[in-house]
Amino acid sequence: MEEFDTALNRNFFVNNIIKMYEPKLDLIPYEEDVVYKDLNPIKIIDNEGSYQYYKGGFNQKGQCHGKGVWVKEFNVYIGNFKNDEFDGTGLFITEQGDYYFGQWKNSLYDGYGSIVIAKKLVYRGFFKNGKKEGFGEEVHPDGDYYDGAYYNGEKNGRGTY
């Protein structure tokens, strides 16, 4: 538990976000076969040799499944998991406080979501397989603004710039 808390505390933005969102995790739908066992944080060493920490639900195969909190180095994900993947509604936060909040599928942005970098909206709209797809709005650092269609991550179709 102490290592998990230490890992969370490394991210200056995380503690306030967890306080804001953790109670709301109860509102996030999840799969029926979630088993809430071993709710103490677990440590995982991934293929890159990095430590990851997870606290939340598991499925019958022992995979992260249901609502949970995941920490790797200075990155944090709070939300829904399915078979060890970010899946459903979730919030991903970087050490700098940049974040994506929205829908996930197989650990990729998929559905409606918002990306905020340096406390400014960068993109709000639809994603498919981790790329902008459908309608969305984008704000550039110089103040330029685009509202329109995207396909495969690129502006494509009708829009206003």
Side-chain angles (χ1 to χ4, degrees):
M1 188 66 154
E2 189 176 318
E3 276 188 81
F4 183 76
D5 291 339
T6 300
L8 283 176
N9 288 333
R10 279 189 251 155
N11 187 313
F12 73 88
F13 193 62
V14 171
N15 287 325
N16 290 332
I17 293 296
I18 287 178
K19 286 176 189 168
M20 285 174 25
Y21 285 97
E22 199 163 24
K24 294 178 178 72
L25 289 177
D26 292 335
L27 304 175
I28 297 173
Y30 55 91
E31 299 293 317
E32 294 285 328
D33 63 343
V34 174
V35 178
Y36 283 94
K37 63 177 184 176
D38 300 325
L39 289 180
N40 288 323
I42 60 167
K43 181 178 11 176
I44 305 163
I45 300 176
D46 66 15
N47 294 338
E48 301 158 3
S50 299
Y51 290 109
Q52 298 181 47
Y53 300 86
Y54 173 76
K55 181 179 180 180
F58 296 88
N59 63 16
Q60 299 299 331
K61 297 177 185 175
Q63 297 170 316
C64 303
H65 199 88
K67 297 175 286 190
V69 177
W70 169 90
V71 179
K72 180 178 179 182
E73 296 171 353
F74 298 107
N75 300 304
V76 176
Y77 174 82
I78 304 166
N80 209 18
F81 291 80
K82 186 174 183 180
N83 303 325
D84 275 346
E85 301 279 352
F86 304 163
D87 202 285
T89 303
L91 172 66
F92 183 82
I93 312 162
T94 68
E95 175 186 17
Q96 295 79 21
D98 302 337
Y99 68 88
Y100 169 80
F101 180 71
Q103 296 297 305
W104 297 81
K105 186 173 183 182
N106 299 321
S107 295
L108 296 172
Y109 307 154
D110 201 284
Y112 188 79
S114 297
I115 296 175
V116 174
I117 297 175
K119 299 181 183 175
K120 296 179 184 173
L121 174 69
V122 174
Y123 177 80
R124 176 177 33 224
F126 291 91
F127 294 87
K128 185 174 182 181
N129 296 320
K131 296 181 180 178
K132 299 170 191 170
E133 179 114 8
F135 286 93
E137 58 183 320
E138 184 176 86
V139 179
H140 298 266
D142 62 4
D144 287 354
Y145 175 83
Y146 173 77
D147 184 15
Y150 289 83
Y151 177 74
N152 201 27
E154 301 292 329
K155 296 174 186 77
N156 188 307
R158 291 185 170 248
T160 303
Y161 186 84

